[in-house]
Each structure stands twice: as C-alpha cells, then as structure tokens.
Amino acid sequence: MYEIVISLYTLGVAVMSLFNDKVKKMWRGEREAFSVLRNSVDPDSRYVWFHAASLGEFEQGRPIMERLRREHPELKILLTFFSPSGYEVRKNYEGADIICYLPLDTYFNARRFLNLVHPEVAFFIKYEFWWNYLHILKRRNVPVYSVSSIFRPNQVFFRWYGRTYSNVLKCFTRFFVQNEVSRQLLTKLGITEVEITGDTRFDRVLQIKSQAKSLPIVEAFRQDYKVFVAGSSWPPDEDIFIKYFNGRDDWKLIIAPHVIGEDHLQQILSKLKGKAVRYTEATPESVADAKILIIDCFGLLSSIYGYGHVSYVGGGFGVGIHNVLEAAVWNIPVIFGPNNERFQEAQDLLASGGGHQIDGYQQFESLMNSYIADDSLRKADGDKAAQYVSSKAGATGKILSAVKF
C-alpha cells in the first residue's frame, strides 16, 4: 500500500512539475540527486547524514551539524532536503560537504541512495518518517536518530488505522523528543529508547542572537523611535497591525512579509498611510523620515527583531504561526494569532507571559495600548519571553553526548 501511495505521489509530482515552478525545482532536484552523489561522495570518507524536510527543520539540525563539525572534523556531512524552500535557500551552506534533494521514498531509490552514500549515522529532523529509507538503514545496522521530534495523539501513528505504519518508528535507534507527552505516546507503542532533550531551535536562536548582523539601514530607520516588527506576515495579519499603526506617528513599523512576491508587496503598500520604503531600495537618507520599512528580501528577519520593541509573528490566522523564538530571544513581547495550538513554543510563551494571542483587531489594539501606556509592562513581558528561551537551551549538547561516532 505504501509503495502504491508513493508511486501515485511520484506521478502527481511529475504532472504538477509541468505547471508549478516550485514543484518543477523539486522534481528536477530529486532526479539530479544521484548524479550529485556519484560525483561528490568520497568512498574513503565517513559520512553523517542529516535530513531536513525544509528550512525550519534545517534550522533545528544546524546547531548539531555545526557542533559536530567542530568536535569531529574527521567526519563529513551530507545534508538532504525534501522541499525547494529549504534546498534553494541553503544549497550553498558551508557547514555540509554535500547538499542535495532526497529522492522520493521508493524502495529502489532508497537502496540506490544508500548504496552511494553508506552513512555511518543518520539524523532525521522532527517529522521525517520515510518507510523505505528507515527500514533499509535498520537492516544495515546504521544508527538512526530522530531529533527535536514531537508527537500528538491525533497523529496517524496513534490511530487504529495507522498501526501498521507506526512500525516505521521502530526503525529509529533513539528519539530525542521535545516533551513528556511525546515520550508517553511512544511508550504506548512499545518504544522506550526515548530521551526528552527539548528543541534544538532554542540553541539556534541564541546562536543567531550572538552572531546578529548590524544593519545600518534599519539603524537609520529606527533612530530614537519605538519600533514594531511584524515578521512572516500574511494579509489577515497585516489588516490588523497596519490599521493600528496607520493611526499612530509615535512608533515606526517594520514589515517582513512571508511572501515577498510583487503582488503581495503592492497589496501591503496600498494599505499603508505614511512614507514607506522597501529595504532593497533604501538608503540611510531615504529611511530617516520614513514611517514604514518593508523587508522585501530574505535572511534578515532574525536580526531585525533585535531592533524591535514589540513583535508580531504571522500565520496565526491561516497556515499556523511561524517561528516565535526568533523574536522572543530579543527580550521583546511576541504577539500572534489563534492558530497556535500545535506549536509547543507558542503555548509555552503564552504560559510564561512573554507571548500573547490575539483573535482580532480589538484585542490587538487593547494590548498595544497597554504597552504604549506602560513601558515597564512591555519590558517585563519581553524579559519573560527571553527568559523562557534561555531556560530551554541545551538540547544540542544532550543529543551529541548520547550519540557515539
């Protein structure tokens, strides 16, 4: 049944690649992966394989890869992606020796891939559970670790119709999970090699903060104003905070939309009142008297949060909120929409008082008015957010201390 599903999926990807550029990149990349490996793998070297579905999972695996590189320079790192949104952004990442797409999980592809690489150890990050790859790795006695994984009762593994597929979890040598609920769910399936280490993203955002870029354009824009930073925003998010800040001249607004296509950027500009400047067109002189700065490029958001006084993380009125930790680490309150139940870090931020959920404009207005009226309240909530992040650090060290190379 699994092979049938994968075969149908492969056919669907092939058809969609004719009409969708993103799917076309994935389809082409997966087919080219074998030639990349044939040309790049050194048969005399020892490889550790990291697989990340996309960019978010890569960020979770990155602290492990970089520490492994420092502590075991004799090992080489293979990094694979499933999604173009991960591969296209990090295909030139210097922390890995080989970077390519992961071919679709057919038995033939998995065996061919592993015959080329022969990894000594494999790390699958968070949600990656590919049946053929994992079963072949197990038969070959290759240690496989699930990193920063998190499980919920409604996942297929824990439903009656998913019991057969749940056997894929027994291919892992050890799980390094984020919380106690995940450990308990795995125990019910008879899986006991589980350690609660937390999420490596906490280590990553602390690392990002320590290495944050200085951004002269943003400094020239901010001056002595208070700044509201909206990261990874979507139109429903923008309708809320733009409405509020259109009526204020005492704060400045930075918008880093999740989608930076021209249509979306023009949509944002049409809603704004006051001078707005796009980052790629900005000079220190042009942003000095601007009210809004629009970030129309990638790679800056994690540093831009450091210039903010209050943050908003988008996606909570649609697909689900994006990375709240990148904002929280900077000692600023984090605001987000209601679709956050599946995100442990958002739930924890709410409990700590460093994060706040809003369900619409009135709640947002009330919360912002409170922060503007009482600066000590804003600072206290920001400190709670940063303290929460610091308290959860250390997963990388726990994981690597338990893995033998």
Side-chain angles (χ1 to χ4, degrees):
M1 179 62 70
Y2 183 83
E3 289 293 328
I4 292 172
V5 171
I6 288 294
S7 297
L8 292 173
Y9 179 80
T10 303
L11 178 62
V13 170
V15 173
M16 284 298 296
S17 69
L18 301 174
F19 308 99
N20 185 290
D21 287 340
K22 182 177 179 180
V23 177
K24 183 186 295 184
K25 289 178 181 178
M26 182 177 75
W27 179 242
R28 184 187 301 119
E30 289 172 351
R31 287 182 297 165
E32 292 174 350
F34 292 115
S35 63
V36 171
L37 294 173
R38 279 196 303 271
N39 294 328
S40 303
V41 170
D42 178 0
D44 296 322
S45 295
R46 301 167 57 199
Y47 284 91
V48 178
W49 173 26
F50 287 83
H51 176 63
S54 191
L55 190 58
E57 290 78 11
F58 163 79
E59 290 296 330
Q60 287 177 296
R62 184 169 179 169
I64 303 174
M65 284 186 276
E66 294 184 353
R67 183 161 170 176
L68 180 65
R69 176 77 86 188
R70 292 194 305 270
E71 297 181 357
H72 293 277
E74 75 280 7
L75 300 174
K76 290 195 173 184
I77 293 175
L78 165 67
L79 170 63
T80 59
F81 288 97
F82 182 76
S83 167
S85 59
Y87 175 81
E88 294 299 327
V89 176
R90 295 302 181 192
K91 59 186 176 183
N92 297 316
Y93 171 58
E94 295 180 353
D97 298 282
I98 304 173
I99 303 174
C100 65
Y101 281 89
L102 181 70
L104 288 171
D105 185 34
T106 65
Y107 177 78
F108 175 76
N109 280 349
R111 188 175 64 176
R112 185 181 176 194
F113 178 93
L114 293 169
N115 284 344
L116 284 167
V117 179
H118 296 291
E120 290 193 8
V121 178
F123 291 89
F124 280 52
I125 303 165
K126 199 173 183 179
Y127 288 137
E128 293 299 274
F129 307 109
W130 295 110
W131 180 277
N132 287 306
Y133 283 103
L134 288 166
H135 276 84
I136 295 173
L137 285 166
K138 183 179 181 181
R139 285 199 295 272
R140 296 183 180 185
N141 296 314
V142 177
V144 185
Y145 301 96
S146 178
V147 174
S148 294
S149 45
I150 187 166
F151 295 94
R152 296 179 298 276
N154 61 355
Q155 286 174 301
V156 63
F157 311 112
F158 312 109
R159 300 297 185 93
W160 64 267
Y161 52 81
R163 287 301 171 131
T164 299
Y165 181 60
S166 70
N167 286 327
V168 73
L169 301 178
K170 297 178 181 179
C171 294
F172 285 93
T173 305
R174 194 167 184 81
F175 285 87
F176 298 104
V177 299
Q178 294 189 30
N179 58 25
E180 174 63 21
V181 171
S182 298
R183 189 194 67 78
Q184 291 178 2
L185 287 169
L186 291 171
T187 299
K188 289 179 181 178
L189 295 179
I191 298 170
T192 57
E193 288 296 322
V194 184
E195 183 177 348
I196 303 171
T197 54
D199 191 342
T200 50
R201 281 185 302 170
F202 292 93
D203 298 331
R204 177 59 186 149
V205 295
L206 287 165
Q207 182 186 44
I208 290 172
K209 182 179 180 180
S210 69
Q211 301 171 351
K213 306 171 184 176
S214 175
L215 302 172
I217 293 293
V218 182
E219 291 175 2
F221 170 77
R222 182 183 63 177
Q223 301 178 67
D224 294 325
Y225 285 85
K226 293 288 196 305
V227 177
F228 183 90
V229 179
S232 304
S233 63
W234 294 77
D237 306 303
E238 292 148 8
D239 287 340
I240 293 173
F241 61 75
I242 287 177
K243 178 180 177 180
Y244 182 83
F245 285 102
N246 272 343
R248 303 198 69 94
D249 293 321
D250 52 342
W251 278 57
K252 290 196 172 188
L253 172 62
I254 298 178
I255 306 173
H258 183 72
V259 177
I260 59 172
E262 190 61 31
D263 288 346
H264 188 199
L265 295 173
Q266 290 300 325
Q267 184 184 81
I268 292 171
L269 286 165
S270 71
K271 298 175 183 178
L272 295 169
K273 295 178 181 179
K275 181 180 177 180
V277 179
R278 291 164 63 153
Y279 187 88
T280 58
E281 301 172 354
T283 64
E285 294 74 26
S286 67
V287 295
D289 63 342
K291 181 181 175 183
I292 307 104
L293 180 61
I294 299 175
I295 311 302
D296 56 349
C297 55
F298 292 117
L300 300 179
L301 180 57
S302 57
S303 295
I304 285 173
Y305 280 125
Y307 293 90
H309 296 83
V310 177
S311 67
Y312 182 97
V313 176
F317 288 93
V319 296
I321 59 170
H322 297 286
N323 191 343
V324 295
L325 300 180
E326 285 185 338
V329 73
W330 287 103
N331 294 72
I332 55 176
V334 187
I335 305 172
F336 42 81
N339 187 2
N340 59 68
E341 296 87 353
R342 295 183 294 109
F343 302 87
Q344 183 68 48
E345 63 276 13
Q347 296 296 302
D348 290 344
L349 272 175
L350 291 173
S352 75
H356 295 276
Q357 174 184 313
I358 54 110
D359 298 315
Y361 179 78
Q362 288 185 336
Q363 282 182 304
F364 179 82
E365 180 184 40
S366 176
L367 179 59
M368 282 304 305
N369 285 346
S370 297
Y371 282 149
I372 291 171
D374 186 353
D375 203 47
S376 63
L377 173 64
R378 177 189 63 79
K379 290 178 180 178
D381 283 1
D383 288 343
K384 291 174 185 176
Q387 288 165 7
Y388 162 67
V389 175
S390 296
S391 72
K392 296 292 184 177
T396 301
K398 293 175 184 176
I399 292 167
L400 286 178
S401 66
V403 177
K404 305 301 180 185
F405 297 99

